Every structure is written in C-alpha cells, then in structure tokens.
Amino acid sequence: MKKHSLLLLVAVTILISSNAQALPRFALLRGEANCLRCHVNPTGGQMRSEEGQSFAINDLAMWKRGDKYSGQISDGLRIGGDFRDQFLYFSQKSPLYGFTQSDSNIQKLTKRGDTTSRTTSFHAMSLALEIDFQATKTLSGFFRYDPLNTNNPSEGWAMLHFVHSSGELIQSGDVVTNAYVKFGAFLPAFGIRFDDHTVYVRGGTASLSSFVPAGFFWTPGYRDVGVEFGTTLFDHINIIAGAFNGQESSIKTQNFSTDPSNNKAFCFSITSSGEIIEDMLAGEIGVSRYMHNHSDQNNLPANLVLTGLHFSLRAGPVTILNEYDFGENVAVSGHRNSSSTPVVPKASGLCSEAAIRISKGFDALFRYENFKEVNASGATTNQVESRIMIGAQWFPLRFLEVRPEFRIAMTSSPNLDDKTFTNDFTENTFLLQTHVFF
C-alpha cells in the first residue's frame, strides 16, 4: 500500500504541473488575439515585453502601485523569471473486483465495491530564468532555462522582424503590419495557448494508478527545432507557418530532436480577431494544422495529421475560449516513465473555458473538457475521459498570481479480465497555485 501511494503521489505531481503560458483572454480584452503586444514571443507565453510589463502593473493587479519595472540590466539586455509552486489534495475512487468460484467450478468476476486513494503534496513546478537580447529594433534573441523541467530544461531562438513599424528593414503599412522569421528550438504555433498544459488539447494528464493517460503530445517543455514565419495583415489577421524536425513521438528521449528520416513536420495557424462592438464585444476565430510523416511503434508509416479549430468571444466581463482538435495517427500523452509516446489511429479533444471578471485582478474560471481515442477498427477504446474545473485567478499585486482550482475527472473503460464489466474511475483534485513572474 505504501508503494502504491508513493507511485500515486509522484504521478499526481506530474499531472498537475503547469508551464508559464500566455492568457489569450487578456488579448481579447483589448479587442485582439495578437500576443506580440505583451510578449517577446509572437505566439505568446513566457517573457513579457515592456508593454506587457506595463499591463501587469497597471491593468492586471488588483492593488496598483506607481513603481515601474522593466528588467533592463543594460542596453539591449533584459532578464525575467517565472516561479510556480503548488499545494494539492487528490482523491481517486476506483472499482474493486474479485473472482468467486461458482457451483460449476468456474471462476466469475464480481464487483466487491470501491476503493479510494487520497494524498496531499507540495510541488515545485517552475524555477525558470529568462533572457531577452535586443540587438537592433528588429533583431532579437531569447533564452530560457528551467532546471525543474528535466525533459527539456532549455529553450532558445532568434527572430528577425523584416517588416516592422521602425522601418529598419521594411516599413510596415496598412496591409502588412508585421512580418518575422524565427529559428531555433521552441514550441510550434498550434491552437489556443492555454496557460494550463494539462488540458487535453495540450499535454493532457499523466498516468495515475488506475486512470489511462489522456491528451495530445504538447507536453510540458515541448519544443522542436525548426523555423517559423509569421505575418499580421490589416492588424487583425495572423498567419503563422513553420517547418520542424518533428519529435512528437519521441519527446521523452531527447531535448532537441533529430530527424534521421528527413521527413519534416509542418505546422500552420490562421487567426482572425478584432472588436465587433467597441469596448464591449470582441472575437477570435482560427484554424491550425500539424502534419508529419513518421513511423508508429511497429516502424510502419503513420502520417500524422492534427487539425485544431478554435473560437473565442469576449462580451463585457465574460470571455470564452473554445478549441476542438482531431487527428489521425496522433501521438498522445503516454506513461511518463515510457521511452516513447503512443500513436493512435484517431483521437479528438475538446476544451471550453469561461472566465468572468468579478473585479480588477480577480476572475472566476470554469472549464469543461473531454478526450477520446478510436482504434484501427473504428471502435472507441478505453481512453474516454471528461473533466470539469471550477476555480479562480487572483492577481493581488503586480507580478503575483494566486489560483485555487477544484477539478473532477471521470473515465470508463472495459475491465481487462471481463469485458462485460466497466471500470468507472473518478478523480477529485483541489490545488492552490502561487505564481511569481517578472
């Protein structure tokens, strides 16, 4: 029992860990879905730009102070940090079965009841240091290192804005307002950049004692080596396309992937956003696609195609983010102690998140998700999960976030010993996350 509890505790802490990401609803509050105004990364997340720092101080925090902060340590050099810690309480109810001997001496599986496992834990999630290099107005670089991310602790890239408002290379105009090329090791642009990587449309959950893992391959610290082109048209349409080595099926075995097959992965995203009614109604709609010709576990050709449809809306104090992803030969979240990521014939995931602005610096959060796999014969496998979340996000002071959440996850799967029985598992999780960023 002690060994089981220890394994459960380790799995849960991996499940609930989270990376620093952008919050797309904040962009919608400004009538857009462009992350470049607040982040040095055009696709969002991680270190904030000077305008992003100003937003965190003046618009995000509940109690504003007049102090300024830039992180500037010399000309063209800024530092930042992202530190997260978490307390969680976890409870999982699992069915308990046993074999009984019938009159005809045939063993029959019967349900004996349920068993519940509980645990509490403190968990250090992120200890990242970030550096932004600004060589010129249009040429920059970024480096991030997080020793707590043992799979991929480093990320680095360089970026050239060849169309820019400064006119250093090409002056931006009314049609093309921005264009850039980025190369290095980073996360490809796909879907909505939810700030919780455990949502099923991102990296999903880890394997628990009885739960089957669920979610796609965008796991914590996921990054691939490649090049990305992006442009903004008419100040409201964002187009991003990239070519990468493709490491979605081997993300646990190497930090920066190589591609011996020379079959490159391609990713693109098109998003349109803007205000519908000034200061009242704003929306975003987009599509993303990721493609890679790789091999499955049996070294058979498996052409991965993952498509994401996303739609977001902000009406007054309410913001809703929706994403539905579906694909074939998709790498999904596997057991964290596995050397490879399972590839399934078909999989789909849904995430819908609503935020209600209660007051400045305080939002109520609600989320619904589900994830489903389909096997080669077209039948739904035992990997069908759904989850709901009720929580809040509080920014009492600048650069400080406190987030309490309560989650209920449910799954049903056929019993391996007797297919006529269904295993019904339920997880209840309460977590309290503290986040310091600058």
Side-chain angles (χ1 to χ4, degrees):
M1 183 65 182
K2 289 183 178 180
K3 182 179 180 181
H4 173 80
S5 300
L6 179 60
L7 292 175
L8 178 64
L9 177 62
V10 173
V12 171
T13 56
I14 297 175
L15 162 69
I16 306 299
S17 65
S18 179
N19 270 358
Q21 302 287 1
L23 291 176
R25 69 176 186 272
F26 292 157
L28 278 179
L29 289 174
R30 309 173 75 163
E32 59 186 29
N34 189 343
C35 301
L36 188 58
R37 289 185 62 180
C38 287
H39 293 269
V40 298
N41 188 351
T43 57
Q46 302 164 343
M47 193 169 182
R48 292 147 193 83
S49 62
E50 292 185 6
E51 189 169 349
Q53 298 284 22
S54 176
F55 177 80
I57 295 173
N58 300 310
D59 300 298
L60 195 58
M62 178 176 286
W63 295 302
K64 175 184 174 183
R65 292 192 57 182
D67 301 349
K68 294 183 179 181
Y69 175 82
S70 66
Q72 201 83 26
I73 59 176
S74 66
D75 290 340
L77 186 63
R78 292 194 309 123
I79 61 170
D82 188 272
F83 312 115
R84 293 178 186 248
D85 192 80
Q86 191 173 79
F87 169 80
L88 65 89
Y89 166 82
F90 172 84
S91 173
Q92 176 176 287
K93 187 171 80 171
S94 308
L96 184 65
Y97 294 94
F99 285 96
T100 58
Q101 199 81 12
S102 65
D103 295 337
S104 56
N105 292 324
I106 298 177
Q107 285 191 336
K108 182 180 181 181
L109 189 69
T110 59
K111 185 175 181 179
R112 301 287 180 82
D114 295 305
T115 180
T116 301
S117 302
R118 298 183 178 90
T119 189
T120 59
S121 175
F122 288 99
H123 176 43
M125 298 159 47
S126 175
L127 188 64
L129 294 176
E130 301 168 331
I131 303 177
D132 174 39
F133 306 91
Q134 196 72 39
T136 70
K137 292 182 179 180
T138 59
L139 181 62
S140 62
F142 174 80
F143 179 77
R144 172 187 171 95
Y145 182 77
D146 186 355
L148 297 185
N149 191 331
T150 56
N151 287 329
N152 293 305
S154 303
E155 175 176 357
W157 44 262
M159 180 170 59
L160 174 67
H161 287 266
F162 54 89
V163 177
H164 193 264
S165 58
S166 67
E168 187 173 63
L169 293 178
I170 301 176
Q171 177 66 48
S172 60
D174 294 334
V175 178
V176 182
T177 58
N178 178 66
Y180 70 89
V181 57
K182 182 172 70 174
F183 50 91
F186 51 89
L187 174 69
F190 185 94
I192 296 175
R193 193 67 68 88
F194 286 97
D195 62 323
D196 182 353
H197 78 78
T198 67
V199 297
Y200 296 147
V201 296
R202 302 308 297 173
T205 63
S207 172
L208 301 184
S209 58
S210 302
F211 250 48
V212 179
F216 291 113
F217 51 86
W218 312 109
T219 56
Y222 183 99
R223 37 195 139 271
D224 202 352
V225 179
V227 60
E228 177 182 281
F229 297 89
T231 185
T232 302
L233 305 178
F234 305 104
D235 208 28
H236 293 292
I237 300 175
N238 297 310
I239 302 174
I240 301 173
F244 305 89
N245 281 339
Q247 67 160 0
E248 70 284 340
S249 59
S250 59
I251 53 179
K252 304 176 190 67
T253 59
Q254 49 194 332
N255 284 339
F256 302 118
S257 67
T258 58
D259 184 18
S261 67
N262 291 320
N263 293 328
K264 296 296 181 287
F266 297 94
C267 186
F268 73 83
S269 177
I270 302 176
T271 302
S272 177
S273 63
E275 284 191 322
I276 303 172
I277 301 177
E278 187 175 359
D279 297 330
M280 182 61 189
L281 187 65
E284 173 268 342
I285 187 170
V287 59
S288 301
R289 197 169 179 87
Y290 182 90
M291 300 166 289
H292 186 206
N293 297 340
H294 62 73
S295 300
D296 63 13
Q297 297 97 316
N298 300 315
N299 293 319
L300 297 175
N303 298 333
L304 184 155
V305 178
L306 181 63
T307 302
L309 306 175
H310 36 100
F311 168 73
S312 304
L313 188 68
R314 190 266 297 176
V318 180
T319 305
I320 301 176
L321 307 177
N322 303 285
E323 180 174 344
Y324 176 67
D325 297 347
F326 57 94
E328 297 181 353
N329 299 315
V330 179
V332 299
S333 291
H335 296 264
R336 292 298 187 248
N337 59 357
S338 172
S339 61
S340 63
T341 302
V343 176
V344 300
K346 291 184 179 181
S348 63
L350 169 70
C351 182
S352 182
E353 180 181 279
I356 303 176
R357 175 59 54 91
I358 305 301
S359 65
K360 182 180 179 181
F362 187 87
D363 291 355
L365 303 177
F366 306 91
R367 185 192 303 145
Y368 171 76
E369 307 171 69
N370 65 44
F371 185 81
K372 180 173 69 174
E373 287 183 13
V374 176
N375 59 25
S377 63
T380 301
T381 67
N382 62 346
Q383 183 133 331
V384 179
E385 297 189 15
S386 60
R387 180 169 56 181
I388 60 174
M389 183 275 290
I390 301 174
Q393 189 176 33
W394 182 33
F395 296 91
L397 302 172
R398 62 175 186 164
F399 309 140
L400 174 63
E401 174 192 1
V402 180
R403 178 180 289 199
E405 290 186 2
F406 179 72
R407 305 177 181 180
I408 302 175
M410 297 156 284
T411 187
S412 297
S413 62
N415 187 279
L416 297 178
D417 297 310
D418 188 341
K419 300 296 184 180
T420 63
F421 282 87
T422 301
N423 295 339
D424 298 314
F425 302 110
T426 303
E427 295 174 354
N428 295 326
T429 305
F430 171 77
L431 63 92
L432 181 64
Q433 180 183 135
T434 56
H435 179 205
V436 175
F437 56 95
F438 59 90

